[in-house]
Amino acid sequence: MRIACPFCGERENGEFTYLGDAKPKRPAMVAIDGGAGAPGEAEAFYDYVYLRDNFAGEMSEYWYHGGGCRSWLVIERNTLTHDIKSVRAAPGAGAAKAGAK
Amino acid sequence: MASAQSNRLAKGGLIDRNAPLSFTFDGKAMIGYAGDTLASALVANGVTLVGRSFKYHRPRGILTAGPEEPNALVELRSGARREANTKATTAELYDGLDALSQNRWPSLGFDVMSVNSLLSPIFVAGFYYKTFMWPAKFWEKLYEPAIRRAAGLGRTSGIADPDHYEKAWAHCDVLVVGSGPAGLAAALAAGRTGARVILAEEDRLAGGRLNSDGGEIDGMPAGEWLAGALAELEALPNVRIMTRTAVFGVYDGGTYGALERVNDHLPVPPVHQPRQRLWRIVAKRCVVAAGAIERPIVFSGNDRPGVMMASAVRTYVERFAAAPGKRLALFTNNDDGWKTVEAAHRAGIEIAAVIDSRKDLSQHHRALAQSGGFAVHNGVVVDVKGGKTGVSGVEIALANGGSAQIAADVLAMSGGWNPSVGLSSHHRGRPKWREDIAAFVPEGAPAGMLSAGAANGDFSLSACLRTGHEAGLAAASDLGFKGRAGKAPAASDEAISISPLWHVEGRKKGFVDFQHDVTASDIALAQREGFESVEHLKRYTTLGMATDQGKNSNVTGLAIMSELTRRSIPQTGTTIYRPPHVPVAIGAFAGHHRDENFHSVRLTPSHHWAAERGAVFVDTGLWKRAQWYPIAGENDWLTSVNREVLTVRNGVGFCDVSTLGKIDVMGKDAGAFLDRVYINAFASLAVGKARYGLMLREDGIVMDDGTTSRLAEDHYFLTTTTAKAGPVMQYLEFCRQVLWPELDVQLTSCTDQWAQFSIAGPKTRDLLREIVDPAEDLSNEGFPFMGVREVRLRGGMFARLFRISFSGEMAFEISVPARYGDAMARNLMKAGEPFGVVPYGTEALGVMRIEKGHIAGAELNGTTTADDLGLGKMMSKKKDFVGRVMAGREALTAPDRQVVVGLKPVDKARRLRSGAHIIPKGAAVGPDTDQGYVTSVCHSPMLGQWIGLGLVERGRERIGEIVRAHDPLRGEDYYVEICNPVFYDPEGGRQRG
């Protein structure tokens, strides 16, 4: 399999590490005072940590270009055919984000 | 004595008669010529019996002239280079070649196991499943070893391979697989447009069937055209011709696996050259012009030595000038087989007869029979007469009901051709049946792949040239290459007609799969017993499961099944094709990654210095770390380690700790970022201070620990454990890039950039004062515990100094750029001489951390929570962090969890061992009474006994309790006392002193 890294170009998959389903979104960090978290956070984290898809078909997945630019990528890939529809850099990936607030 | 090449033709062939080569087969010396394969040299020397079959030990001869060969498998070379199951048909002859036939005992001519042939009713399809079912315990001890002795093919050498293999990448626009007429036409068309072309050819010579079949192209003899085409391709700078290179697999994204047999044609590879090279070729387009494989017809005695594929007879006669016999009969169901008669006739071989299963004879063939003076019988061969070394004649059943006997010493057979659909089916494409040619052609090929020529069912020379040209041009223009491709090479068209004939009923065995001894009656049996699906048929009969993967048997097998089940061939279908298309040695996949090069090795900055001192090294991940430093007179590790520990505790020692992961965390939000990934606070850490930090995974389990320092307002220096350096870096990048891109923070791995040494012991300051500029204040006030500062060294260089301690002693860690690490080690040794300094290794490091109850990898084992490790109080209640929510789960906070405690044997002389289970005193041993286990142990020179850490249920409430350490693995059972994990200096006064 070959992955077109937005920063490095098309590279062999041995340079990348697979993480898994990119759909679940981590619940936001919350202000803690004295130990109380957000209401319903236990269920939200249970969903985030354990309820992940891994099906045969088109998945949106996290991959890490550890053998290259160290960017995290979001790849739309068909797990049956290994066809890759799109490769996007994670929002904070890439060279120094000078403009980050 | 060398034989006289009795069957070598007087002239012709692509061999060099001026370069005779001597070789031996089963110890018999013979001569061949440069350009021969082992098989062609054996044919030239009149050798017909070359092996015994897998199951019945039937005598077998050479069947084919190519990589599909099922019979002529030999052990090539001797000693460590002995290679089993090597196809004589593709092994190039070299001077001094030695080969042994396989699967026979005591000799090829007299084989004891051929009695299996008489017992054949037992050895039918599925016999493994039926015969050896009961009693089950006999399988491992009796049946399997016996079967393995009796069956099986060649022997491996059992010795490490002395040769090396390498791996390489290549990139191109158009990969052309096969250099027959179609492949050459494709490469020419694509190459002329300017596309980068790789033309891969499995054989030594480019040309494919042109080298065996001749013909006329663009008005000149095929050989002449071939030479011109190759010259043109070689002159094109964008075309690369790779001979001896077999493309064996199609992988994702246009990646092709290919094996180049760089030096298999030599007895020993030249110095510094690999035997084979594994290529990964990345191609935007691929033209498969891999040709086709001629298929046998199944009839009684079709496996007798002397029965040969018609195309192979042609190859031996035309390409190698070696005659497989003196009097040839042909059994065919198609026009192509007739070419063999023409070639043999031209070469002066007597034609006994042609047996054609088809009723109508073409004008051309009728004329040929007339001029050749041989009979043509409309009928089928029903039996082959002869002995174990060859054919004496054939028995024919005529279509008109009569029969005939014909004397012949070689029978050529042609059942038609199967396009090579292997590569085009590697992505689960299912080949499509074409009734007009009675063969499967590619369907559902991988993206970017085209098939051309015989591989696509276009068998005539003119069609090969035309479709090859078209495919090459299509591939190149699809990629935007606009150069002129020229005209397709032309040949006069030959119509190839075929009338399917798969199987002739006979009294004796007719073989479908020659290598695995699968007969037509085995297929019938499989059908009777309900194994009709091709996948069942394959596994029940082992059809196509030998080293040749059924290249000349699979289609015939399923065609016979379709006749039996009265389904059509496409309804019957094919099995799934998977790489590799040809066998590839594991050595080629491994390449250089074997022995000491199995993985890369990381050396610490002080490695060479440590090696000079005779340090004993231990592998920790990729790193080599000094484990202990023996001195003269020390013969066992414990003596050395005890000395190192005692010297540190009483004086001073130092240890290279550069392997810890180091990450620079920089930016305005660096503190906020660390607050999120650590359970404890870091934003509030003062500049110039270090703090121990613990990270959790999202599921609340501990991920890693380490000391992180604040070097500036916007600059933290984070350390990880040695093992987790990579994973933590990857995880932190995930947090930064994916979870919180809004934070202004950057991460840089700097593990390899810094050499870091821990200097520990009461005399640490004395030693440091020799190294550090006298103006630097190292006193407790000027440099307090957990302080961090850049200091000037004597001589003007700067270093980072961290007052942190893993040993529990007064200690500093000093950090210099990695290139100064070696010098720093030597400096510390020299400056410390007056104070009796010793270097210490990872063992002493481990002893001191266990004495201090510090956790390490054995406790950070992916099952423990912060509280299990006694660090629950570190979890901040004022800020959020990764793992906070899940760490609060019921089971992770249960009061009966196994937590870290100290353990020491009640009998002080007793050695404690990791892995021992903790059982309450008086309880029976069992999973319900198992309350934990010993995680880390050491011999403590300070306590004078073995001590350890363990995870024990409710351990902290049980300090002082005596429990059983039960160790069934080592057969030990003894009492240990649960104690405080901090064995030494529990108040911590020493490290603060």
Side-chain angles (χ1 to χ4, degrees):
Chain A
M1 200 163 71
R2 297 178 67 76
I3 295 173
C5 173
F7 303 103
C8 308
E10 189 188 278
R11 314 292 303 173
E12 187 240 347
N13 68 340
E15 295 184 4
F16 300 84
T17 313
Y18 169 82
L19 181 70
D21 189 7
K23 284 274 157 58
K25 294 288 167 256
R26 188 186 191 282
M29 284 280 165
V30 295
I32 302 289
D33 200 7
E41 62 181 12
E43 291 72 23
F45 267 94
Y46 174 79
D47 285 0
Y48 172 64
V49 175
Y50 293 112
L51 299 187
R52 294 181 173 233
D53 279 331
N54 181 20
F55 52 79
E58 280 198 3
M59 290 276 301
S60 179
E61 305 169 326
Y62 285 123
W63 288 75
Y64 179 59
H65 195 190
C69 60
R70 291 201 335 243
S71 294
W72 277 95
L73 308 173
V74 179
I75 298 182
E76 285 181 292
R77 185 178 72 107
N78 188 318
T79 57
L80 265 179
T81 62
H82 299 183
D83 286 338
I84 292 175
K85 204 158 99 184
S86 74
V87 182
R88 285 185 293 120
K97 277 172 58 93
K101 74 171 177 64
Chain B
M1 208 189 78
S3 73
Q5 302 202 53
S6 54
N7 286 31
R8 186 71 75 182
L9 297 167
K11 57 181 180 12
L14 301 171
I15 48 167
D16 185 353
R17 291 170 198 261
N18 296 319
L21 305 173
S22 55
F23 69 101
T24 65
F25 178 67
D26 280 348
K28 190 168 179 240
M30 299 179 213
I31 300 283
Y33 291 127
D36 264 328
T37 61
L38 173 58
S40 72
L42 288 170
V43 169
N45 282 280
V47 176
T48 50
L49 173 64
V50 295
R52 289 274 175 173
S53 72
F54 181 72
K55 202 158 77 178
Y56 301 126
H57 288 243
R58 284 166 72 98
R60 289 284 165 80
I62 297 163
L63 183 70
T64 75
E68 69 273 24
E69 176 63 29
N71 290 344
L73 306 182
V74 299
E75 290 175 1
L76 193 64
R77 302 184 172 86
S78 55
R81 289 194 168 84
R82 185 171 75 203
E83 195 181 343
N85 307 335
T86 305
K87 290 169 288 225
T89 48
T90 56
E92 293 177 37
L93 197 69
Y94 55 83
D95 198 47
L97 178 148
D98 59 318
L100 291 177
S101 59
Q102 298 185 158
N103 202 28
R104 83 293 189 268
W105 186 83
S107 74
L108 187 54
F110 174 75
D111 177 51
V112 168
M113 294 305 288
S114 58
V115 67
N116 280 6
S117 211
L118 305 176
L119 298 175
S120 61
I122 297 173
F123 287 91
V124 293
F127 88 102
Y128 291 103
Y129 309 113
K130 291 169 180 165
T131 314
F132 302 109
M133 283 300 287
W134 187 89
K137 66 178 177 187
F138 277 23
W139 177 254
E140 210 174 295
K141 289 213 164 68
L142 189 65
Y143 297 148
E144 192 186 329
I147 292 169
R148 284 195 186 280
R149 254 201 311 281
L153 296 164
R155 304 161 300 158
T156 57
S157 77
I159 308 170
D161 191 336
D163 296 325
H164 64 100
Y165 299 79
E166 63 183 31
K167 296 196 269 191
W169 285 91
H171 298 257
C172 63
D173 296 311
V174 183
L175 168 66
V176 180
V177 182
S179 71
L184 288 167
L188 283 168
R192 284 169 185 161
T193 67
R196 286 179 308 156
V197 174
I198 289 178
L199 176 60
E201 170 56 54
E202 185 169 12
D203 202 335
R204 172 181 74 92
L205 295 176
R209 290 296 306 172
L210 291 180
N211 293 320
S212 301
D213 289 353
E216 204 177 85
I217 303 174
D218 285 348
M220 54 186 124
E224 200 178 308
W225 179 83
L226 170 61
L230 287 173
E232 182 182 347
L233 288 171
E234 273 157 18
L236 285 170
N238 52 321
V239 175
R240 175 174 187 173
I241 303 174
M242 296 173 71
T243 54
R244 296 187 173 117
T245 304
V247 176
F248 62 76
V250 185
Y251 302 90
D252 294 313
T255 307
Y256 297 81
L259 183 75
E260 183 183 4
R261 306 201 304 162
V262 187
N263 283 305
D264 275 356
H265 61 292
L266 299 175
V268 173
V271 180
H272 302 313
Q273 279 201 32
R275 171 171 294 283
Q276 298 176 346
R277 189 179 286 130
L278 187 89
W279 285 96
R280 277 171 286 182
I281 302 173
V282 181
K284 296 192 180 85
R285 296 289 182 276
C286 178
V287 177
V288 174
I293 293 171
E294 195 176 23
R295 60 198 181 210
I297 302 172
V298 182
F299 52 91
S300 290
N302 66 341
D303 68 326
R304 195 181 288 285
V307 181
M308 197 180 267
M309 300 313 307
S311 57
V313 171
R314 224 143 75 215
T315 297
Y316 289 118
V317 169
E318 289 280 338
R319 176 171 170 179
F320 298 107
K326 294 185 168 43
R327 193 175 147 84
L328 176 136
L330 168 74
F331 179 23
T332 186
N333 68 351
N334 68 86
D335 292 344
D336 192 70
W338 279 81
K339 288 188 194 162
T340 300
V341 173
E342 295 182 54
H345 183 58
R346 268 200 309 276
I349 295 168
E350 189 186 346
I351 309 300
V354 170
I355 303 102
D356 196 323
S357 62
R358 299 171 299 172
K359 202 160 71 223
D360 298 318
L361 209 54
S362 75
Q363 195 59 44
H364 171 66
H365 294 150
R366 210 186 304 273
L368 191 70
Q370 214 143 49
S371 70
F374 58 86
V376 180
H377 301 286
N378 175 212
V380 294
V381 173
V382 289
D383 200 5
V384 181
K385 308 287 182 195
K388 65 180 175 236
T389 57
V391 171
S392 60
V394 295
E395 186 181 330
I396 304 165
L398 297 168
N400 63 18
S403 69
Q405 308 269 350
I406 289 162
D409 64 354
V410 56
L411 174 63
M413 60 175 161
S414 179
W417 290 79
N418 292 325
S420 287
V421 296
L423 292 178
S424 52
S425 306
H426 274 180
H427 284 189
R428 296 230 158 191
R430 293 299 187 122
K432 184 177 69 183
W433 180 254
R434 251 179 69 184
E435 203 67 49
D436 58 328
I437 56 169
F440 282 103
V441 292
E443 175 84 354
M449 180 188 283
L450 297 164
S451 289
N456 203 34
D458 295 311
F459 295 132
S460 74
L461 178 57
S462 60
C464 282
L465 293 165
R466 188 187 72 248
T467 60
H469 178 85
E470 286 165 1
L473 181 58
S477 45
D478 205 18
L479 295 171
F481 291 94
K482 295 188 168 37
R484 292 172 57 90
K487 273 189 8 200
S492 59
D493 221 339
E494 325 132 61
I496 290 180
S497 118
I498 180 169
S499 170
L501 170 70
W502 305 102
H503 174 215
V504 179
E505 284 294 341
R507 294 181 300 274
K508 299 181 201 148
K509 284 193 180 63
F511 284 83
V512 180
D513 181 335
F514 290 68
Q515 196 176 130
H516 255 177
D517 275 352
V518 179
T519 63
S521 53
D522 286 328
I523 295 173
L525 182 66
Q527 190 265 331
R528 281 203 303 279
E529 299 194 343
F531 296 95
E532 291 182 355
S533 133
V534 281
E535 298 289 359
H536 289 156
L537 167 68
K538 169 178 170 175
R539 280 142 188 102
Y540 196 59
T541 62
T542 73
L543 171 72
M545 290 172 74
T547 64
D548 64 356
Q549 291 285 289
K551 287 191 174 53
N552 51 20
S553 60
N554 280 344
V555 174
T556 308
L558 68 91
I560 293 174
M561 179 58 87
S562 81
E563 284 175 356
L564 291 166
T565 56
R566 294 175 211 291
R567 288 177 301 180
S568 69
I569 289 175
Q571 277 172 332
T572 305
T574 60
T575 54
I576 292 169
Y577 294 81
R578 295 184 179 89
H581 186 62
V582 292
V584 183
I586 296 292
F589 284 112
H592 289 300
H593 295 278
R594 56 180 276 192
D595 304 325
E596 72 274 18
N597 298 318
F598 180 63
H599 58 68
S600 52
V601 172
R602 299 175 81 181
L603 301 181
T604 63
S606 65
H607 182 86
H608 297 297
W609 167 82
E612 283 168 26
R613 298 190 63 88
V616 174
F617 292 99
V618 60
D619 288 340
T620 54
L622 302 180
W623 290 100
K624 294 232 176 270
R625 297 189 73 181
Q627 200 171 9
W628 63 86
Y629 294 80
I631 58 172
E634 287 178 349
N635 302 320
D636 82 303
W637 65 275
L638 194 53
T639 312
S640 306
V641 173
N642 282 342
R643 173 185 50 78
E644 289 173 11
V645 171
L646 287 167
T647 312
V648 172
R649 297 252 187 253
N650 296 313
V652 61
F654 68 93
C655 178
D656 190 331
V657 293
S658 312
T659 61
L660 293 182
K662 308 179 201 73
I663 300 167
D664 270 328
V665 183
M666 302 176 90
K668 189 161 60 66
D669 297 325
F673 178 80
L674 292 178
D675 266 357
R676 293 180 180 197
V677 297
Y678 278 125
I679 64 172
N680 46 335
F682 275 85
S684 58
L685 183 68
V687 173
K689 283 287 190 185
R691 183 171 285 167
Y692 173 75
L694 201 65
M695 290 179 192
L696 303 186
R697 311 190 306 216
E698 285 286 9
D699 66 359
I701 297 293
V702 172
M703 177 191 294
D704 199 47
D705 69 347
T707 306
T708 289
S709 314
R710 192 166 196 175
L711 302 179
E713 203 54 43
D714 60 353
H715 182 188
Y716 289 80
F717 177 71
L718 181 152
T719 68
T720 74
T721 58
T722 299
K724 287 283 176 67
V728 166
M729 182 69 194
Q730 177 174 336
Y731 160 73
L732 294 179
E733 287 287 9
F734 182 81
C735 293
R736 180 184 78 84
Q737 298 179 27
V738 178
L739 299 183
W740 314 307
E742 69 279 9
L743 294 185
D744 180 4
V745 60
Q746 288 296 322
L747 305 168
T748 310
S749 167
C750 53
T751 304
D752 290 309
Q753 277 65 34
W754 293 97
Q756 195 150 326
F757 295 89
S758 170
I759 306 161
K763 293 181 185 165
T764 294
R765 281 201 191 89
D766 299 331
L767 169 54
L768 273 179
R769 285 194 183 104
E770 299 294 318
I771 301 250
V772 176
D773 191 292
E776 299 284 354
D777 183 0
L778 298 180
S779 71
N780 227 358
E781 297 68 40
F783 214 131
F785 186 59
M786 298 309 265
V788 175
R789 194 165 82 219
E790 194 172 77
V791 295
R792 178 195 280 271
L793 302 182
R794 286 176 189 266
M797 238 185 81
F798 285 89
R800 285 178 183 168
L801 207 54
F802 307 80
R803 195 170 158 199
I804 51 180
S805 175
F806 194 46
S807 58
E809 293 302 322
M810 159 70 211
F812 281 89
E813 287 189 12
I814 191 164
S815 181
V816 290
R819 62 187 179 280
Y820 297 116
D822 181 83
M824 179 54 83
R826 290 174 203 275
N827 247 351
L828 287 167
M829 204 61 217
K830 200 169 146 213
E833 209 173 320
F835 314 108
V837 72
V838 294
Y840 64 95
T842 54
E843 281 300 321
L845 187 83
V847 170
M848 290 189 280
R849 74 99 185 164
I850 293 170
E851 286 181 337
K852 284 297 291 179
H854 288 312
I855 50 165
E859 290 79 36
L860 298 168
N861 62 8
T863 69
T864 46
T865 65
D867 189 61
D868 295 345
L869 303 173
L871 303 171
K873 288 199 179 67
M874 280 172 63
M875 291 205 271
S876 172
K877 295 222 180 337
K878 294 185 178 154
K879 54 135 188 154
D880 201 357
F881 55 87
V882 170
R884 176 186 61 85
V885 176
M886 298 301 265
R889 281 183 289 167
E890 198 180 340
L892 295 196
T893 53
D896 61 346
R897 284 186 65 84
Q898 298 178 356
V899 299
V900 168
V901 288
L903 296 166
K904 53 186 179 189
V906 172
D907 173 1
K908 285 191 172 205
R910 173 112 221 167
R911 181 168 181 174
L912 184 64
R913 303 259 198 187
S914 329
H917 288 259
I918 301 300
I919 313 280
K921 202 173 172 181
V925 172
D928 49 335
T929 57
D930 190 345
Q931 296 188 328
Y933 58 100
V934 183
T935 52
S936 307
V937 297
C938 72
H939 177 266
S940 163
M942 306 315 290
L943 278 74
Q945 72 166 113
W946 284 82
I947 59 169
L949 302 177
L951 288 163
V952 178
E953 217 171 282
R954 297 179 188 271
R956 286 194 289 267
E957 302 161 21
R958 297 166 66 181
I959 303 295
E961 185 181 329
I962 308 294
V963 290
R964 253 171 97 182
H966 179 69
D967 190 351
L969 201 62
R970 301 180 183 91
E972 294 177 350
D973 202 321
Y974 46 95
Y975 290 114
V976 295
E977 182 190 331
I978 300 176
C979 58
N980 185 325
V982 189
F983 292 89
Y984 181 70
D985 187 29
E987 297 76 31
R990 298 180 69 88
Q991 65 194 15
R992 293 170 191 279

